[in-house]
Amino acid sequence: MYTVDLAYVGRGLHEELVAHIADQQGYYAGEGVHVALRDGCSWDEERLRRGATIGLGRALLSRLTDGIPWVALQVNTHRPLFWFLARPGLASLADLAGRRLAVHAPRTAPGCFTRIVLRRAGLDPDRDVHTLVRPPGDYGMDLRRLHDGSIDAALVGSTMAPEAIAAEHGWQVLAWVGDHFRIPTVGVAVDPTCTDPDDPAVQAVVRAHRRALQVIHDEPDTTVRHMQTFLGRHTADEVRAHYETFVAPYFTTGGQADLAVGAGAITAVATELGVPATVTAAEFYRTAATAP
């Protein structure tokens, strides 16, 4: 049996769902590979590059800023699962002007995506918004700060169903990042200087993830059951609604990247980072071009 380390670099459905399904449904074993799922959230790039990673956004930022030649071999979705959750009184992204926003650091993938979205809404993230930078996590502290009023809004990830949280507390979901910025994101990536993209273990993982993506589209009940592992604070109906709104319509069927979307995303990310776009979509996303 082949073996491979596969590291996730964020928490929640966005990062973990496909790998979780592949593991729980026995697809890794069926493909003859033993996968060690590793928590790489705090790893530096040198450690992360020694195995495969799920975090394609971080891999792209690393390639653009550090020159590590990551390549993405499989893509789960083109719409990042992050949302702007806000207290009452805010109705749009434009209303964040002058407000306090909890957000990831600018040179992390979700932080970079957030800044792109804010700029598209006409806001300068360095001048128009008071940002509280915090590391990735389960966003529980953000909910506490929203409750006590010490922040007005937070960028939250897929450790919760934000629309259900908003309904429970009388808050607002100002925007879904996936509606405002599209990028082929989360899947399987490797650094070819450390791991051959054609390595049988890596290709076995890619095949297992493609099988998991088929489950997401063909077996809603199975997928919702797996999603409840991540969304334990929500009812079954809330989890299913989240699946039907954000997962089923937008996760890929075969793990392939839309290279036109990828090209636009690379340009936008490089511009936000202030670095040259030194890689093309076809060079970075080593999948066949198709619609998401």
Side-chain angles (χ1 to χ4, degrees):
M1 178 172 282
Y2 304 116
T3 62
V4 67
D5 281 352
L6 177 62
Y8 55 89
V9 295
R11 297 183 176 92
L13 297 173
H14 173 77
E15 188 87 6
E16 301 177 75
L17 179 61
V18 171
H20 176 81
I21 292 175
D23 179 47
Q24 295 298 308
Q25 295 289 116
Y27 296 153
Y28 292 142
E31 294 293 343
V33 61
H34 173 76
V35 176
L37 286 172
R38 309 290 300 277
D39 180 350
C41 294
S42 62
W43 289 3
D44 61 24
E45 297 307 310
E46 287 304 313
R47 184 176 183 187
L48 190 64
R49 69 192 296 192
R50 297 174 196 162
T53 182
I54 295 172
L56 305 190
R58 177 169 168 177
L60 175 61
L61 266 66
S62 175
R63 179 152 186 173
L64 291 172
T65 59
D66 304 322
I68 297 176
W70 293 100
V71 292
L73 307 176
Q74 175 255 321
V75 169
N76 294 343
T77 183
H78 294 69
R79 296 178 184 254
L81 295 181
F82 295 94
W83 298 263
F84 292 85
L85 186 63
R87 288 172 53 82
L90 284 75
S92 70
L93 289 175
D95 292 337
L96 288 173
R99 303 288 186 155
R100 298 158 298 178
L101 172 68
V103 69
H104 299 276
R107 295 180 86 82
T108 64
C112 178
F113 301 167
T114 301
R115 293 170 67 85
I116 291 169
V117 171
L118 290 174
R119 291 188 195 280
R120 291 179 177 180
L123 297 172
D124 183 332
D126 296 316
R127 297 177 180 273
D128 298 332
V129 182
H130 302 293
T131 56
L132 172 67
V133 174
R134 43 84 167 114
D138 67 359
Y139 304 98
M141 185 57 71
D142 291 337
L143 300 186
R144 291 178 63 177
R145 287 170 173 155
L146 285 168
H147 270 298
D148 67 25
S150 58
I151 60 173
D152 301 297
L155 181 83
V156 299
S158 55
T159 59
M160 67 186 79
E163 69 282 10
I165 296 292
E168 179 182 352
H169 297 288
W171 298 339
Q172 302 289 332
V173 178
L174 298 184
W176 174 30
V177 168
D179 272 339
H180 296 267
F181 177 63
R182 296 172 63 197
I183 182 171
T185 186
V186 292
V188 177
V190 297
D191 171 8
T193 61
C194 298
T195 303
D196 184 352
D198 295 320
D199 182 281
V202 173
Q203 289 301 313
V205 171
V206 170
R207 291 193 300 270
H209 284 203
R210 287 174 177 163
R211 294 175 67 182
L213 286 165
Q214 285 300 316
V215 169
I216 288 173
H217 290 283
D218 298 341
E219 301 180 36
D221 291 344
T222 300
T223 305
V224 168
R225 174 169 55 82
H226 287 304
M227 288 175 62
Q228 288 177 306
T229 300
F230 298 90
L231 302 176
R233 67 178 294 159
H234 296 296
T235 68
D237 287 343
E238 289 170 342
V239 175
R240 185 170 291 274
H242 192 71
Y243 161 79
E244 293 174 348
T245 304
F246 299 108
V247 176
Y250 300 115
F251 273 55
T252 66
T253 56
Q256 297 169 319
D258 183 322
L259 296 187
V261 171
I266 289 171
T267 298
V269 167
T271 299
E272 178 60 41
L273 296 174
V275 299
T278 52
V279 62
T280 68
E283 290 168 337
F284 183 72
Y285 301 107
R286 302 262 183 103
T287 68
T290 187

